[in-house]
Amino acid sequence: MKFTEFGLDDSLIESIAATGYEEATPIQEKVIPIILKGHDLIASAQTGTGKTAAFLLPIIQRLLQHSNDGQVNGMVIVPTRELAIQISQNLEGMSYFTSISSIAIYGGNDGMNFSTEKQALSRGVDLVICTPGRMIAHLNMGYAKLDGLQFLVLDEADRMLDMGFHDDIMRIIGKLPAKRQTLLFSATMPEKIRQLSRKILHQPEEVNIAISKPPDKIVQEAYVVYDSQKQPMLEHILTNTQCKMILIFCSSKQNVKHLARDLKRAKFKIAEIHSDLEQNNREEVLMQFKSGRTPILVATDILSRGIDIDNIDLVINYDVPHDGEDYIHRIGRTARAESDGVAITFVNEKDQNRFAVIEQLLGSPVRKAMVPTELGPVPDYKPRARRGGGGGKFKNGKRQGGYHHHKGKSQKPHKPQQPQQPKQ
């Protein structure tokens, strides 16, 4: 279905056309008409399905038809600052030829930004993209003009609940008008999400476009190793690979710090990103990585969801992810757009059962690659969690079997160098 078939405003169509997009993704095709009709929505959709444009485009369309002056008209709540920035950038591109005003509100920046945020919330702005904690800080001061709010979006709701934001979300919602359109997007639908939806949604439509498995073009491999072999194995891969953009995931910020320190000592050009970094430092690290000036980035799961970085050749799970969904999100950072990619996971003895559960979710075993003989003997792959299906046993590396800132409406919109593509 083409975007021109949704009945969108000419200025909005012009903004979409400037990005080079013509055809809607499946979730956009299903969700946009529902939102345009004013229904509440609960949607299961992961990053990469086009979900950000699926909710932003119809909200922009409806705001072009009716916007409450002097009020905050719409709010998008997201789990991380990085995602708030990304959605805000996409919004600027999609609203480029319209009069829609917007602002991203998130913690970790300076007092001048807080003042700008306060001004937007007190004078009114069409769309706010925010993290829960920062919005609570503003709401506690009492100046946010929310009486005319028409739209509320919870993006990556499961992630927000996992991060402990349930109470903050309910506090924010308690300040909003009861009569509003609420849209909830979540990569997964556990019972806690169902419970939240029953509290905040009114007779919602439901859409399921979740990606349950990674794309076939991602080549997946695993190295079964002892914990002490993980770093030598990683250095062997980094030394011999032809990949130019490499993202390494660790399961904790302590592991990120230790690994980054050791890799720097080994003379690899790397950077690290985790929650202990100041926001301006995190943004600088991401910019250096995206531009290719830093070819290797060691990160926590803060980057596994919702961050749009193309051209990553190789994703390495230095630690096995906590569950299958996290695994899919992590390796989904590669093979984006039209490119291919490789995902490698190091599996030590204590993580074998967890990795076996991930293989069950995938529906087939991940190929176990050969560990270089100079690294010594490796453990057998003998997970107890596997139920049926061969994972194969590996010893000594051999298989042994089986297998925008705020834009006031009176202002001319700031022209970005290139309108952002409505990918997410």
Side-chain angles (χ1 to χ4, degrees), residues 11-59:
S11 62
L12 191 48
I13 291 295
E14 189 176 4
S15 297
I16 297 170
T19 68
Y21 280 78
E22 297 181 358
E23 296 282 344
T25 66
I27 192 169
Q28 291 162 3
E29 190 171 330
K30 289 188 176 183
V31 163
I32 289 176
I34 292 173
I35 300 176
L36 289 175
K37 291 176 182 176
H39 297 299
D40 281 10
L41 172 73
I42 178 170
S44 177
Q46 296 178 359
T47 298
T49 57
K51 66 179 171 66
T52 300
F55 63 76
L56 285 181
L57 290 174
I59 289 176

Side-chain angles (χ1 to χ4, degrees), residues 239-256:
T239 300
N240 293 282
T241 185
Q242 299 297 313
C243 295
K244 296 180 180 178
M245 285 187 72
I246 302 168
L247 180 57
I248 303 170
F249 282 112
C250 295
S251 293
S252 70
K253 60 188 176 185
Q254 289 79 13
N255 287 2
V256 168

Side-chain angles (χ1 to χ4, degrees), residues 25 72 98 139 296 307 321 351 390:
T25 66
V72 176
T98 75
L139 293 182
I296 304 170
I307 301 300
D351 287 338

Side-chain angles (χ1 to χ4, degrees), residues 14 34 68 133 148 152 160-161 203 206 226 229 260 264 277 335 360 367 371 384 405 407:
E14 189 176 4
I34 292 173
N68 293 316
L152 171 66
M160 285 196 282
L161 296 191
Q203 296 181 343
E206 184 164 348
Y226 292 109
Q229 294 173 313
K264 288 174 183 176
L277 291 183
Q360 290 171 10
R367 188 182 80 85
V371 176
R384 294 186 299 276
H405 57 258
K407 296 189 292 187

